[in-house]
């Protein structure tokens, strides 16, 4: 079976896929579309109710404005304990709203308990029948559509408790300052900012502060601050003591099964070996002949590259992936799949594919330093070689343990950022006993090893992972900052020249985002829209090295293989983009170093990166 893509391009897909696709299409039709309206409606309602409850508890004028009639029917109490109860209900509803929109079962349980409590408060404090009805109506909607709230919890850890304490504590402090300051007519004296801040801090712990108020306002402020402090303490304690649900990790059995699949089908995708990164999860097809590896980041289930294994079994693995995403209400996405992979993903799932960039692939038989096009690379390599640098290109299994350890330490020390970068095109380790087929290229400057150079004469490292039986894929580039410029060019050329002796016929270099837009935008006759898009990419290159990476790849005259991102709707793209940047290490939300282990992490990806620096290219 041949599927026509653009113009005269076609992709061959086995006939077995067509039969499998038909069966799965019928199955999805019988299941029907996944309901979305009620969770979204309830989540939005909780957000609006929460915001107005918070406003009703904080601002006294709000309760006597034109919004008073609306506020009277919302969950919360406007009696003696109005501010405290309204703040608590509003903050809790705001915390639950996102979980309800994502069909989370735990959020549903909490909301089902909270809304009746709000209804009781309405009747007990204000005797508001309308307020009771609003609370019970929302609760009835949740109970009526309880089958839609089946999503399992996200991966979590104890760090969530610390994050909750810091964020909610800071929010309570800021909101407390507002509460203390919105009663200027009832404040006794003229307290300073320091006095107000001290009053808030004391109030969060239930202790009376230095600021005095006339009338019942003193009680209102005290109960409001106490409620914020109690809410922060209770949620932090809950998050700290709930059972951990760690992120998925490859088990030894998973890794063994993946290596068997790569042994038979690893030549199909240059990113296949990166599936062995051990901080990824994996789902296998029912037959076990295909698998999809993924990582969950910010509620996004990110897969990297094509499925592993027999292409006829891909639909089964993809369906397992989508089922897992639906079970947890994760947003499914695929980063960097090939044209064939994108075709199968979109057909099997109804997702959408968008070209993300191009992968630079060099055919070893066609590579040569001769010719005008290679003049700059040739001159740079000759200049470095005249400086006395030597190169060595070897399989990892052929390097001694002591030298491997020195290479690992050097790569870790030369990493330009504290955060390890890479996900879809990174392995995350060097010299592992199971990775003996990996290729390591090193640059040395004999006689340069001194006491000030803990890595001896080692000046640069390139790490390649296997791409089937006759290829390798660049995974990491590191160099000593004191070394001469051009170390990466020197080692890439040395690796390409030594590839034949290693049985390698093709080498995958870096991945260049939006390469086609940059190339077409600089051509004569490019339209204004394309030129504007190219200008934006060049501007963004100040931070993400988009243009420089493309130009670095182009030096070696590669052929370009398009890579795609697969997603559900365009509304998901910003969220997917942030999740991908977190996975690749551009956005780091990890705890500060004092809260983390100081043990160096295994060396990972920086190869698909800026030429002389460290920037991930995914």
């Amino acid at each position: 079976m041949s599927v026509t893509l653009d113009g005269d391009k076609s992709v061959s897909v086995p006939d077995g896929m067509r039969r499998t696709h038909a069966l799965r299409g019928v199955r999805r039709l019988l299941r029907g579309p996944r309901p979305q309206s009620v969770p979204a409606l309830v989540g939005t309602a909780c957000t609006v109710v929460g915001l107005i409850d918070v406003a009703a508890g904080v601002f006294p004028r709000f309760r006597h404005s034109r919004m008073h009639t609306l506020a009277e029917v919302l969950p919360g109490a406007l009696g003696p304990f109005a501010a405290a109860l309204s703040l608590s209900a509003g903050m809790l509803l705001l915390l639950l709203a996102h979980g309800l929109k994502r069909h989370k079962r735990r959020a549903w349980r909490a909301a089902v308990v909270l809304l009746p409590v709000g209804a009781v408060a309405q009747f007990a404090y204000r005797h508001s029948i309308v307020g009771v009805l609003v609370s019970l109506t929302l609760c009835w909607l949740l109970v009526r559509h309880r089958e839609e709230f089946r999503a399992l919890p996200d991966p979590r850890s104890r760090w969530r408790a610390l994050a909750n304490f810091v964020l909610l504590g800071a929010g309570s402090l800021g909101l407390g300052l507002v509460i203390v300051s919105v009663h200027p007519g009832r404040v006794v004296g003229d307290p300073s900012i320091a006095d107000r801040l001290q009053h808030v801090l004391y109030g969060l712990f239930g202790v009376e502060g230095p600021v005095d108020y006339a009338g019942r306002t003193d009680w209102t402020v005290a109960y409001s601050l106490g409620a914020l402090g109690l809410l922060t303490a209770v949620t932090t304690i809950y998050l700290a003591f709930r059972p951990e649900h760690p992120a998925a990790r490859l088990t030894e059995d998973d890794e063994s099964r993946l290596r068997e699949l790569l042994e038979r089908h690893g030549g199909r995708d240059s990113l296949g070996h990166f599936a062995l990164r051990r901080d990824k999860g994996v789902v296998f097809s029912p037959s076990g002949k295909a698998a999809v590896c993924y990582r969950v980041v910010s509620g996004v289930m990110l897969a990297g590259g094509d499925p592993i294994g027999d292409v006829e079994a891909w639909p089964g693995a993809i369906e397992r992936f989508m089922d897992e995403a639906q079970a947890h209400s994760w947003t499914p996405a695929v980063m960097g799949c090939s044209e064939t992979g994108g075709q199968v993903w979109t057909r099997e799932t109804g997702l959408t594919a968008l070209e993300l960039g191009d992968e630079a692939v060099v055919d070893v038989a066609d590579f040569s330093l001769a010719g005008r096009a290679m003049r700059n690379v040739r001159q740079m390599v000759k200049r470095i070689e005249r400086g006395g640098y030597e190169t060595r290109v070897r399989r990892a299994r052929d390097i001694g343990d002591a030298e491997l350890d020195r290479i690992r330490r050097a790569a870790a020390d030369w990493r330009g950022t504290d955060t390890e970068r890479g996900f879809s095109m990174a392995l995350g380790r060097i010299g592992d006993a199971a990775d003996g087929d990996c290729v390591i290229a090193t640059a040395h400057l004999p006689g340069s090893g001194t006491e000030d150079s803990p890595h001896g004469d080692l000046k640069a490292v390139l790490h390649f992972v296997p791409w089937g039986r006759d290829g390798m894929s660049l995974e990491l580039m590191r160099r000593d900052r004191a070394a001469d410029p051009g170390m990466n060019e020197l080692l890439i050329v040395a690796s390409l020249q030594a590839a034949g002796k290693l049985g390698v016929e093709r080498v995958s270099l870096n991945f260049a985002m939006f390469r086609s837009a940059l190339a077409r935008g600089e051509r004569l006759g490019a339209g204004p829209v394309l030129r504007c898009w190219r200008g934006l990419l060049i501007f963004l290159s100040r931070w993400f090295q988009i243009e420089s990476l493309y130009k670095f790849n182009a030096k070696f005259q590669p052929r370009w293989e398009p890579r795609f991102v697969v997603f559900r709707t365009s509304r998901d793209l910003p969220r997917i983009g942030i999740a991908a940047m977190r996975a690749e290490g551009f956005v780091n939300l990890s705890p500060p170093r004092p809260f983390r282990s100081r043990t160096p992490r295994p060396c990972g990806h920086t190869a698909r990166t800026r030429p002389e620096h460290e920037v991930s290219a995914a």
Side-chain angles (χ1 to χ4, degrees):
M1 177 182 177
S2 180
V3 180
T4 301
L5 298 175
D6 297 324
D8 58 352
K9 293 182 180 180
S10 63
V11 176
S12 297
V13 180
D15 292 335
M17 260 191 199
R18 182 167 48 188
R19 295 189 297 270
T20 304
H21 172 60
L23 292 175
R24 300 190 194 287
V26 171
R27 193 179 306 166
R28 286 195 296 267
L29 183 61
L30 292 176
R31 283 202 304 253
R34 179 183 174 185
Q36 297 283 351
S37 57
V38 172
L41 174 64
V42 174
T44 302
C46 285
T47 301
V48 175
V49 168
L51 288 173
I52 298 182
D53 273 357
V54 171
V58 173
F59 303 103
R61 294 183 180 180
F62 177 85
R63 297 193 292 271
H64 304 290
S65 66
R66 296 180 181 179
M67 293 293 291
H68 175 67
T69 303
L70 176 61
E72 283 288 320
V73 303
L74 295 174
L78 299 178
F81 305 100
L85 194 56
S86 184
L87 278 173
S88 299
M91 295 292 285
L92 287 173
L93 287 172
L94 288 174
L95 292 174
L96 293 173
H98 182 62
L100 291 173
K101 289 182 179 181
R102 295 184 58 205
H103 304 249
K104 292 298 183 180
R105 187 66 173 177
R106 289 182 182 270
W108 177 87
R109 290 172 180 170
V112 167
V113 173
L114 177 63
L115 288 172
V117 170
V120 171
Q122 292 286 332
F123 184 77
Y125 289 112
R126 296 194 298 113
H127 308 289
S128 172
I129 302 299
V130 177
V132 171
L133 291 177
V134 170
S135 297
L136 293 181
T137 299
L138 284 175
C139 186
W140 175 82
L141 281 174
L142 288 173
V143 175
R144 172 68 177 79
H145 298 277
R146 59 185 177 276
E147 295 299 325
E148 300 181 24
F149 298 89
R150 293 292 184 185
L152 300 175
D154 290 345
R156 56 181 182 260
S157 67
R158 306 299 185 200
W159 291 114
R160 292 287 181 91
L162 177 62
N164 178 85
F165 177 78
V166 173
L167 297 177
L168 196 55
S172 297
L173 186 62
L175 198 57
L177 284 173
V178 175
I179 293 172
V180 170
S181 305
V182 293
H183 306 276
R186 294 183 176 272
V187 177
V188 177
D190 185 20
S192 64
I193 295 296
D195 291 335
R196 296 173 190 268
L197 181 60
Q198 183 180 0
H199 191 86
V200 172
L201 290 174
Y202 283 6
L204 292 176
F205 289 94
V207 180
E208 185 177 356
V211 181
D212 293 324
Y213 298 88
R216 299 168 59 189
T217 303
D218 198 14
W219 287 98
T220 301
V221 172
Y223 276 113
S224 299
L225 295 177
L228 288 175
L230 182 63
L231 185 63
T232 302
V234 169
T235 54
T236 301
I237 291 172
Y238 166 74
L239 294 173
F241 287 97
R242 67 177 179 172
E244 289 196 46
H245 183 194
R249 293 290 188 270
L250 282 186
T251 65
E252 292 184 4
D253 180 63
D254 291 336
E255 185 172 340
S256 176
R257 295 174 65 185
L258 285 173
R259 288 186 183 276
E260 291 178 3
L261 294 178
L262 289 171
E263 181 68 23
R264 295 194 297 268
H265 308 281
R268 188 178 295 276
D269 184 15
S270 65
L271 308 187
H273 198 85
F274 298 123
L276 299 176
R277 186 181 174 104
R278 288 165 183 161
D279 58 358
K280 291 182 178 181
V282 61
V283 290
F284 290 90
S285 65
S287 65
K289 295 181 179 180
V292 175
C293 294
Y294 67 91
R295 185 195 294 174
V296 179
V297 182
S298 301
V300 178
M301 191 176 182
L302 284 173
D306 293 344
I308 306 300
D310 188 351
V311 68
E312 290 194 4
W314 283 8
I318 289 173
E319 185 181 29
R320 287 282 179 88
F321 176 88
M322 296 301 292
D323 288 344
E324 188 77 4
Q326 181 174 348
H328 293 268
S329 192
W330 291 330
T331 300
V334 185
M335 300 297 297
C337 66
S338 68
E339 198 166 7
T340 302
Q343 179 67 29
V344 177
W345 273 101
T346 55
R347 189 182 63 247
E348 291 296 320
T349 63
L351 301 179
T352 302
L354 179 69
E355 187 172 342
L356 184 62
D358 294 89
E359 177 186 12
V361 178
V362 178
D363 294 313
V364 174
D366 298 333
F367 177 77
S368 173
L369 286 177
R372 184 178 180 83
M374 298 297 296
R375 182 179 60 179
N376 291 337
V377 176
R378 183 173 61 250
Q379 291 177 347
M380 179 174 290
V381 170
K382 294 298 183 183
R383 176 180 57 80
I384 297 175
E385 288 177 344
R386 286 195 298 269
Y389 285 90
E390 299 177 356
T391 59
R392 303 170 191 170
V393 182
R394 296 159 289 175
R395 296 281 183 185
R397 60 172 172 262
D398 299 327
I399 303 176
D401 292 340
E403 187 176 0
L404 265 179
D405 184 64
R406 182 160 61 100
I407 291 172
R408 277 193 291 262
R409 286 187 285 106
D413 292 344
W414 294 338
R415 189 171 65 203
T417 60
D418 181 61
T419 303
E420 183 76 21
R421 287 179 171 170
F423 161 66
S424 57
M425 302 176 184
L427 186 61
R429 59 184 184 267
I430 294 179
D432 190 271
D435 299 323
D437 287 339
C438 291
V439 174
I440 298 178
T442 55
H444 304 263
L445 184 60
S448 63
T450 64
E451 294 182 358
D452 297 332
S453 178
H455 310 300
D457 62 356
L458 182 63
K459 297 300 178 183
V461 176
L462 261 62
H463 186 232
F464 297 85
V465 300
W467 173 11
R469 298 177 184 275
D470 61 352
M472 61 185 187
S473 185
L474 181 59
E475 190 264 343
L476 173 144
M477 290 192 297
R478 301 274 169 83
R479 72 175 182 89
D480 187 346
R481 302 295 173 176
D484 293 343
M487 289 291 104
N488 293 328
E489 287 89 339
L490 172 69
L491 286 180
I492 288 178
V493 170
S495 301
L496 290 171
Q497 291 175 339
K501 297 179 181 179
L502 298 173
V504 173
E505 299 177 2
R506 50 186 178 165
V507 178
S508 170
L509 299 180
N510 300 307
F511 170 69
M513 290 183 64
F514 308 114
R515 195 275 316 175
S516 59
L518 290 170
R520 292 196 301 265
E522 64 183 357
R523 292 176 183 169
L524 182 65
V529 175
L530 190 56
R531 288 185 178 276
C532 182
W533 174 226
R534 179 177 178 272
L536 177 61
L537 291 176
I538 292 175
F539 174 75
L540 294 176
S541 295
R542 299 180 180 181
W543 296 278
F544 299 105
Q545 303 303 317
I546 299 172
E547 184 188 27
S548 62
L549 188 59
Y550 156 58
K551 290 184 175 180
F552 177 76
N553 292 333
K555 290 180 181 179
F556 304 97
Q557 301 299 306
R559 55 182 169 89
W560 299 100
E561 297 289 342
R563 290 282 173 174
F564 299 83
V565 56
V566 179
F567 55 95
R568 187 163 51 195
T569 66
S570 57
R571 294 191 302 273
D572 293 335
L573 281 176
R575 186 178 179 186
I576 293 171
I578 294 174
M581 292 178 70
R582 286 193 60 191
E584 295 291 347
F586 285 115
V587 177
N588 182 24
L589 301 180
S590 299
R593 178 168 288 278
F595 298 96
R596 286 183 288 151
S597 171
R598 294 184 179 272
T599 302
R601 296 178 57 186
C603 298
H605 167 61
T606 18
R608 303 178 177 260
T609 69
R610 167 167 30 159
E612 291 295 343
H613 305 283
E614 259 196 322
V615 179
S616 177

